[in-house]
């Protein structure tokens, strides 16, 4: 399984736009924290992590759809 880190920045977002993005990304199995050596760490703002067997093109498509 491959782990992908994806950065998504919104241009001129409204206050609720990032909350909606977080929900959409979570629906596509992108998360805002990573497990490193048994300890969970929050990712920087606008970064998401996903572990998947999907092809890179599918990962990009999923992030773009969010």
């Amino acid at each position: 399984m491959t782990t992908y880190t994806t950065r998504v920045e919104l241009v001129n977002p409204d206050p609720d736009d990032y909350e909606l993005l977080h929900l959409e990304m979570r629906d596509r199995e992108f998360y805002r924290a990573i497990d490193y050596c048994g300890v969970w760490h929050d990712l920087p703002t606008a970064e998401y992590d996903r572990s998947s067997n999907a092809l890179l093109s599918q990962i990009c498509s999923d992030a773009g759809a969010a």
Side-chain angles (χ1 to χ4, degrees), residues 2-4 6 10 14-16 22-24 28-29 32-35 40-41 47 52 54-56 58:
T2 304
T3 301
Y4 300 91
T6 305
L10 302 176
D14 289 327
D16 295 330
H22 299 327
L23 293 173
E24 293 289 332
R28 290 164 177 81
E29 300 179 351
R32 298 171 58 199
I34 58 170
D35 178 11
W40 284 94
H41 300 274
E47 286 193 11
S52 177
L55 297 174
L56 180 59
Q58 183 63 49

Side-chain angles (χ1 to χ4, degrees), residues 1 4 6 8 14-16 26-27 33 36 39 41 47-52 54 66:
M1 191 169 301
Y4 300 91
T6 305
V8 179
D14 289 327
D16 295 330
R26 186 180 308 140
D27 287 347
Y36 179 72
V39 178
H41 300 274
E47 286 193 11
Y48 301 88
D49 190 70
R50 179 175 172 183
S51 294
S52 177

